[in-house]
Every structure is written in structure tokens, then in C-alpha cells.
């Protein structure tokens, strides 16, 4: 039960925990509200500082390096002579990311938002809608009528690694290495692991991957199987293996697997998923329900058990994606301002992309999921190699796969693997969001010839509804 016998130093209309998507809540509509923003880490949250944005800046460099290395297929004799790793770090962080984070914090602390106070210490609940933050003489207890939990998630570290005593990295520090390692072993087979595998290998590091299952196991089979085959050609891949021991000496890291084989590398990167941060906030003291650190919320983003508590992003969402956190933020902001006319959390047709190589993007159901759901389906797998721009790129592996309902013509799923996948899929997200009939989408608009979207046009035309 939540205790109420707590002395409060300051009361606010609204407290926001986390400065990722949560920091976007206060706008001019909140100028008449007293607001506290709490951020124990770097202003801007995971996406800005250690996630989506800096990783894609590295990926772009990796894409360029790999394209250069493989340009002989286009009749070009080119090579990557050297990689200025410290220069990349400087370009990404010193010249861009760190300045944005600093500017964001200065803005919130400045005179342009006088109704907002920033706390930069860890916070935890001590009673209903009441938090203790700061340390020692600076410790304060603050409360609010409404509290938004947007405190994100953290890397999950397997026990065998956490208790080994070896020095390991996660996405939170791997991009700031002082120098590029000659070799790296990556533990994990999800999107974080695959993006960093691409970055390091393309820039010249020998990459080994250890995963308990197939790489990107959540993908549709027609993408997953060829992706795993391509990855095995590029990396030293150990799938279906568990780690039994991890050790470190002057030569680097040794990871021993359950088949008694060993993988050696200079650096160890752990990319085995993320854990919601709800378990770090003592939420039970405020009567807030959580499971494995994930705050339980209703369809409007409200806590299922505690009045005045809201949550969004990784700490509560079923989707650990920045674009979803932003959309949830907009819903929660609306609901805070319009309690009599609330919006549901927007969880329909959620797309995702993996900025590895080949690039991958998807939305909706896989073929297996569509069949399990009882749909009669039309399916088309279209190769990039069969359209003119695919010829120009000499692409041999790219595919677009569309899945539609035979009765209604509605798109059930779209899956792309290849160049520009994250861009190409946007048209199919629109088709799903506006409930369009794919039997008309291909023929009622122009498709610029010979641009790459023709791979989508041909996939649509290839769906068999007979």
C-alpha cells in the first residue's frame, strides 16, 4: 500500500520523469502549469544520446564504406584506405549529439520556460504521486497532481556476463570507444546487435556474433532465412548457442559456449535486449502496478492502479520504438489537457526498421501470422533484381514481400529487405493506415519509372486474388 505520511518540500501540477519523448509534453498549452522534469542521465533520452540517432550516423558511414568496398560490381575500382574512428566519434557526438543534449537542457533551465524546474538526480517514489530526488543536503521530496513516467529502458545483461567481472560494453558506451577495435564479439541476435555488427564489420573490425536463436528471429521467414545466410557469409556467426563462461586477459575477451567452443575478441558488446526502468522507481510505494519493470497502463496511457499516474515509451509500451514513444507522448499530452475527451494510445500498424545490411523494414503481419489469424491470403515476393533500378544497383538479394486479404483486398503485412527498405515501406504504411484496397493502389497512381518504388508496384500487381 502507498503511504501518505510523507513531508513534501514542493508540490507541482505535473512531474515528468525522463527527457526523451517526455520532454516534448510541455508546450505553450502548459504555460500556466507548474512542472518538474527529472532526468538522472543525459538530457534527451536514449534515442538522441545512445540509440536511434547516433547509431544511424554510424550506419551511414558504414553503408558508404561497404558500398565502396563492393563497388567492383559496378565497374569501379575503389577501396577504403583508412577509417578515422576518432573523427567519426567527433562528428557524431562532439559536433552534433552532445550539443543538442546540452542545448535541450539549457532551454528547459532557461527563462523561456520559467514554469519548469529541472532535477538532475535519481528519483524514486515514496508515496502516492510523491517522489524523493537528489542526495544528501540536496535531497528533496516533491509531489504533483499528475505524474508522467517516461523513464525509458536499459540494456539487459545476462547473468553469466554480469557476474563474470569482465569489461563489457553496451549501446550506451560502445560508440564512444577511443579507438576502433580490431575484433569484437557481439552477444545477441536482435536489431541492436545486427546494426552494430554491420557498423563494425563495414569499417574494418572482425565481427563474431553469439545468439541463442536465429538472427532477427521475429522476421517473416522469407526475410529471416536469407538474412541469416548473408550474415554467415560476412560474420563469424554462432547461432543456437548459450554462453557458459566469460573471461578476460591481456589479449582480450574469451567467451566459452555450451558446445565447448570459444570465441575470442578484443572487445565484448552485449546487445541482448532492453529492460523497462519501472523496477528502479519503487513504484509499489505509490500503488503503481508493474510487471518486470513495465508499468501497466490502460488504453489511454493511465496507470491501471494509481490515479494521476501516466506512462509512455519504453517504460510501459509494448513497442520499444522512438516513433511509438513520440506518438504515445502526443496522446498522453492530449489526455492531460482534455480529460473529458481522451485519445487512445496509437498502436495500430506500427512499423519498424533495422538499419543493418541489407536494410530491413516491416509493418503488419508475417505470412505465418496471417494464416494463423484465419485470413485467406494473397502473397507476392518481388525481387529488387527484377526492376530497372535493381539492375542499376546490381542488387542480387533485395526483396519486397506483400501479404493481403483475398476477400477484402486489404494489406495485412509488408516486408522489405534491401536498399532503402525503411523508405520504401512508407507507402505501404499509408495503405494500411488509410485502409486502402491494394487492388487499386497499384493502378490508380503513377509510379515514377525507373525509380526503386517500382519494386512495390510490381509486388502489388503480382498479388493473386483469384
Amino acid at each position: 500500500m502507498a503511504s501518505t505520511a510523507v513531508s513534501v518540500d514542493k508540490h507541482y501540477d505535473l512531474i515528468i520523469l525522463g527527457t526523451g519523448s517526455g520532454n516534448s509534453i510541455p508546450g505553450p498549452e502548459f504555460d500556466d502549469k507548474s512542472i518538474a522534469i527529472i532526468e538522472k542521465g543525459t538530457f534527451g533520452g536514449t534515442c538522441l544520446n545512445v540509440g536511434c540517432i547516433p547509431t544511424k550516423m554510424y550506419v551511414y558511414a558504414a553503408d558508404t564504406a561497404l558500398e565502396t568496398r563492393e563497388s567492383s560490381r559496378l565497374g569501379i575500382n575503389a577501396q577504403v584506405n583508412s577509417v578515422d574512428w576518432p573523427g567519426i566519434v567527433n562528428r557524431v557526438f562532439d559536433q552534433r549529439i552532445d550539443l543538442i543534449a546540452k542545448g535541450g537542457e539549457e532551454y528547459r533551465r532557461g527563462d523561456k520556460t520559467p514554469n519548469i524546474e529541472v532535477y538532475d538526480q535519481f528519483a524514486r517514489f515514496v508515496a502516492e504521486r510523491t517522489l524523493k530526488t537528489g542526495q544528501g543536503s540536496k535531497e528533496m521530496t516533491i509531489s504533483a497532481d499528475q505524474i508522467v513516467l517516461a523513464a525509458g529502458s536499459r540494456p539487459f545483461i545476462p547473468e553469466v556476463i554480469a557476474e563474470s567481472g569482465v569489461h563489457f560494453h553496451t549501446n550506451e558506451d560502445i560508440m564512444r570507444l577511443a579507438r576502433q577495435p580490431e575484433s569484437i564479439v557481439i552477444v545477441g541476435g536482435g536489431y541492436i546487435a545486427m546494426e552494430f555488427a554491420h557498423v563494425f564489420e563495414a569499417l574494418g573490425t572482425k565481427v563474431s556474433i553469439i545468439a541463442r536463436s536465429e538472427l532477427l528471429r521475429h522476421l517473416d521467414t522469407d526475410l529471416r532465412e536469407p538474412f541469416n545466410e548473408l550474415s554467415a557469409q560476412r560474420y563469424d556467426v554462432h547461432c543456437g548457442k548459450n554462453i557458459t563462461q566469460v573471461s578476460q586477459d591481456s589479449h582480450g575477451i574469451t567467451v566459452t559456449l555450451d558446445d565447448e567452443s570459444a570465441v575470442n575478441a578484443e572487445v565484448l558488446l552485449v546487445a541482448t535486449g532492453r529492460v523497462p526502468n519501472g523496477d528502479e522507481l519503487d513504484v509499489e510505494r505509490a500503488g503503481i502496478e508493474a510487471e518486470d519493470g513495465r508499468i501497466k497502463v490502460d488504453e489511454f496511457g493511465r496507470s491501471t492502479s494509481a490515479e494521476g499516474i501516466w506512462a509512455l515509451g519504453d517504460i510501459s509500451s509494448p513497442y520499444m520504438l522512438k516513433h511509438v514513444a513520440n506518438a504515445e507522448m502526443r496522446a498522453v499530452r492530449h489526455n492531460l489537457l482534455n480529460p473529458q475527451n481522451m485519445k487512445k494510445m496509437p498502436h495500430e500498424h506500427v512499423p519498424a526498421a533495422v538499419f543493418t545490411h541489407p536494410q530491413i523494414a516491416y509493418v503488419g503481419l508475417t505470412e505465418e501470422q496471417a494464416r494463423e489469424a484465419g485470413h485467406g491470403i494473397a502473397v507476392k515476393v518481388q525481387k529488387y533484381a527484377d526492376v530497372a533500378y535493381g539492375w542499376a544497383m546490381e542488387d542480387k538479394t533485395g526483396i519486397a514481400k506483400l501479404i493481403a486479404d483475398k476477400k477484402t483486398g486489404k494489406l495485412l503485412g509488408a516486408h522489405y529487405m534491401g536498399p532503402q527498405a525503411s523508405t520504401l515501406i512508407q507507402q505501404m504504411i499509408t495503405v494500411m493506415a488509410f485502409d486502402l484496397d491494394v487492388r487499386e493502389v497499384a493502378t490508380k497512381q503513377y509510379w515514377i519509372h525507373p525509380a526503386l518504388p517500382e519494386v512495390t508496384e510490381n509486388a502489388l500487381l503480382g498479388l493473386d486474388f483469384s
Side-chain angles (χ1 to χ4, degrees):
M1 293 294 291
S3 171
T4 56
V6 174
S7 176
V8 175
D9 297 307
K10 193 162 186 177
H11 183 80
Y12 295 89
D13 294 316
L14 174 65
I15 295 174
I16 301 170
L17 268 74
T19 59
S21 296
N23 185 45
S24 296
I25 290 176
E29 315 95 319
F30 289 86
D31 284 351
D32 62 340
K33 307 290 186 183
S34 61
I35 301 174
I37 293 178
I38 303 174
E39 176 57 75
K40 70 181 179 71
T42 305
F43 229 76
T46 295
C47 175
L48 172 65
N49 294 292
V50 297
C52 327
I53 297 174
T55 57
K56 302 317 166 284
M57 295 178 76
Y58 278 80
V59 165
Y60 192 80
D63 287 346
T64 302
L66 189 61
E67 279 296 302
T68 302
R69 200 170 80 194
E70 297 182 345
S71 61
S72 61
R73 75 183 191 280
L74 304 175
I76 299 172
N77 182 10
Q79 62 184 17
V80 178
N81 295 320
S82 65
V83 172
D84 180 7
W85 177 269
I88 295 175
V89 175
N90 177 269
R91 177 179 69 87
V92 173
F93 291 106
D94 296 346
Q95 297 181 30
R96 181 75 64 174
I97 300 301
D98 293 350
L99 294 178
I100 296 173
K102 181 181 178 182
E105 182 170 0
E106 289 176 347
Y107 177 79
R108 285 305 188 201
R109 290 184 181 274
D111 56 11
K112 291 186 177 180
T113 55
N115 61 316
I116 296 177
E117 290 188 80
V118 176
Y119 294 83
D120 58 7
Q121 297 287 330
F122 179 79
R124 64 190 185 282
F125 281 97
V126 292
E128 294 177 2
R129 297 191 298 281
T130 305
L131 294 152
K132 184 167 287 186
T133 185
Q135 294 179 334
S137 60
K138 294 184 177 181
E139 187 174 81
M140 287 189 66
T141 300
I142 60 177
S143 62
D145 296 334
Q146 307 278 347
I147 296 179
V148 177
L149 304 181
S153 61
R154 63 188 185 275
F156 170 75
I157 310 300
E159 187 175 327
V160 66
I161 297 175
E163 296 183 352
S164 68
V166 306
H167 183 68
F168 62 87
H169 299 274
T170 68
N171 69 289
E172 296 185 343
D173 66 344
I174 191 68
M175 289 179 283
R176 292 182 185 260
L177 288 175
R179 64 178 182 83
Q180 182 183 352
E182 293 184 5
S183 59
I184 186 170
V185 55
I186 300 175
V187 180
Y191 67 94
I192 297 175
M194 291 303 96
E195 290 184 357
F196 279 118
H198 167 49
V199 166
F200 280 101
E201 198 280 337
L203 297 179
T205 298
K206 180 181 182 298
V207 174
S208 298
I209 300 171
I210 300 171
R212 292 186 300 174
S213 63
E214 291 180 282
L215 306 178
L216 298 181
R217 60 182 178 180
H218 63 285
L219 294 180
D220 184 278
T221 302
D222 282 318
L223 277 69
R224 184 182 67 251
E225 290 182 351
F227 179 81
N228 274 263
E229 292 173 3
L230 291 168
S231 296
Q233 296 170 20
R234 188 175 173 197
Y235 316 117
D236 173 32
V237 178
H238 304 263
C239 284
K241 302 293 191 298
N242 289 304
I243 298 172
T244 58
Q245 184 179 351
V246 186
S247 60
Q248 184 174 14
D249 58 24
S250 59
H251 300 290
I253 304 289
T254 298
V255 181
T256 304
L257 306 179
D258 52 8
D259 61 359
E260 298 185 357
S261 64
V263 182
N264 302 294
E266 182 182 341
V267 169
L268 171 62
L269 170 62
V270 181
T272 49
R274 297 184 66 82
V275 181
N277 283 331
D279 60 344
E280 295 186 335
L281 303 177
D282 291 344
V283 293
E284 65 279 357
R285 295 189 178 186
I288 302 169
E289 287 185 348
E291 183 176 356
D292 297 327
R294 190 179 301 280
I295 305 300
K296 293 185 177 181
V297 296
D298 66 11
E299 60 186 350
F300 301 109
R302 299 175 298 189
S303 165
T304 57
S305 60
E307 185 178 352
I309 301 295
W310 306 76
L312 61 90
D314 286 6
I315 201 168
S316 59
S317 179
Y319 303 96
M320 288 188 173
L321 297 165
K322 177 62 172 175
H323 45 276
V324 176
N326 284 344
E328 291 179 345
M329 176 277 298
R330 290 188 288 270
V332 169
R333 179 175 60 192
H334 171 89
N335 295 342
L336 287 167
L337 295 168
N338 303 276
Q340 305 306 317
N341 181 30
M342 293 197 295
K343 292 182 178 180
K344 294 181 180 180
M345 298 294 254
H347 290 159
E348 290 187 351
H349 312 310
V350 175
V354 188
F355 293 81
T356 184
H357 188 86
Q359 193 177 110
I360 291 167
Y362 53 91
V363 63
L365 303 178
T366 65
E367 180 178 347
E368 183 180 8
Q369 290 168 340
R371 293 189 187 281
E372 288 178 351
H375 293 281
I377 58 174
V379 179
K380 175 61 177 179
V381 177
Q382 178 66 51
K383 296 179 180 180
Y384 280 45
D386 291 337
V387 301
Y389 207 86
W391 306 347
M393 295 186 295
E394 289 295 332
D395 184 89
K396 305 297 184 186
T397 60
I399 60 170
K401 179 175 183 178
L402 302 183
I403 304 157
D405 186 281
K406 275 194 172 184
K407 289 184 178 179
T408 65
K410 304 304 181 184
L411 186 64
L412 300 174
H415 309 266
Y416 289 75
M417 183 177 75
Q420 304 176 34
S422 60
T423 300
L424 289 173
I425 200 171
Q426 192 63 48
Q427 285 181 306
M428 297 300 94
I429 299 168
T430 300
V431 167
M432 295 181 76
F434 289 91
D435 201 28
L436 302 180
D437 188 327
V438 295
R439 291 169 294 194
E440 299 179 343
V441 171
T443 57
K444 285 196 172 182
Q445 62 179 324
Y446 276 109
W447 300 80
I448 295 174
H449 177 74
L452 192 53
E454 284 188 325
V455 74
T456 300
E457 178 192 19
N458 286 5
L460 289 167
L461 292 171
L463 290 167
D464 183 4
F465 290 95
S466 60

